[in-house]
Amino acid sequence: MPAPPSSMSLLSRCCSSSPMPKHQTVDSKRQPIRRARLLLTRRATALYLLAGAAATAGRARAAEEVEGAGGEGVVGAIKSLFDPNEETKAGKVLPKAYLKAAREVVRTLRESLEEKDAAGDSAKFRRGADSAKVSIREFLGGWRGQQSVAKEESYVALEKAIRSLAEFYSKAGPFASLPGDVKNKILDDLNAAEAYL
């Protein structure tokens, strides 16, 4: 019969090979994976930044060459991106925010008027009318009375279209059907405004 193990050997075996709790085992397995992912992410980010810097340097060189030849190039495109103004079809320089708001009014109001002609889907017409109301409200809230745009042809034409619409509905009520002559006048004003945007 073998001799029973001594208490010291039992104690050392117990302490040296104590099993880790389950949560520690799982975390210890995940840590190398997390480190590897972090390392890969950092490397990918560094490569992305290096590639972007190289591309930017290449574009800048190309832009300098184009500018030397008399063109605008990439630098001109970058400048126009941060420029608060934009050139219109008519060649005028106006604020980008104004042009965006005015184009939105033209688009939504025209769609609303065209949906009114479409075969009887009143829910679709209401959605179009609501988006037109929102764009008109934003346009007037941001640009009514602004001296920088008040004398522009596009502003004057949009103001006429909005005024015609408001006058009709204030007299006939919010649910009245828009007659053809009023609708055509509004569409003409929208087309005139769009020509200057």
Side-chain angles (χ1 to χ4, degrees):
M1 182 162 186
S6 69
S7 60
M8 282 302 276
S9 66
L10 282 174
L11 182 62
S12 67
R13 196 181 311 151
C14 174
C15 292
S16 65
S17 64
S18 64
M20 290 193 298
K22 280 189 177 182
H23 70 279
Q24 286 181 353
T25 306
V26 171
D27 280 348
S28 66
K29 288 179 183 177
R30 287 185 184 167
Q31 276 186 342
I33 295 172
R34 287 183 186 154
R35 286 187 192 132
R37 284 183 183 159
L38 182 62
L39 183 62
L40 286 174
T41 304
R42 286 181 180 165
R43 285 184 181 168
T45 303
L47 288 173
Y48 177 76
L49 291 174
L50 285 173
T56 303
R59 284 190 214 117
R61 272 194 305 273
E64 287 172 5
E65 291 171 7
V66 170
E67 279 184 16
E72 288 265 332
V74 176
V75 173
I78 292 172
K79 284 181 184 176
S80 72
L81 179 67
F82 293 107
D83 188 8
N85 298 318
E86 181 181 331
E87 189 172 335
T88 65
K89 294 175 190 173
K92 291 189 176 185
V93 176
L94 295 173
K96 282 182 185 178
Y98 165 75
L99 292 173
K100 181 181 178 191
R103 288 173 183 146
E104 187 67 12
V105 169
V106 169
R107 183 186 67 79
T108 57
L109 190 51
R110 183 179 287 142
E111 285 175 1
S112 173
L113 293 172
E114 288 170 357
E115 285 172 2
K116 188 147 180 110
D117 286 343
D121 188 0
S122 62
K124 188 176 179 184
F125 167 70
R126 287 286 163 218
R127 282 192 299 273
D130 288 343
S131 66
K133 283 180 197 175
V134 169
S135 64
I136 289 170
R137 197 174 302 129
E138 288 175 1
F139 175 76
L140 293 176
W143 296 101
R144 180 187 286 167
Q146 294 289 326
Q147 295 302 316
S148 59
V149 296
K151 294 181 182 177
E152 293 299 321
E153 293 90 347
S154 58
Y155 181 84
V156 172
L158 280 176
E159 198 173 52
K160 283 182 187 176
I162 294 168
R163 189 178 300 122
S164 298
L165 192 66
E167 285 174 359
F168 171 76
Y169 282 117
S170 67
K171 290 178 186 174
F175 300 107
S177 188
L178 200 64
D181 60 332
V182 175
K183 182 184 146 199
N184 290 336
K185 183 177 183 303
I186 293 169
L187 285 172
D188 289 343
D189 291 331
L190 292 177
N191 290 335
E194 190 175 37
Y196 292 104
L197 296 172

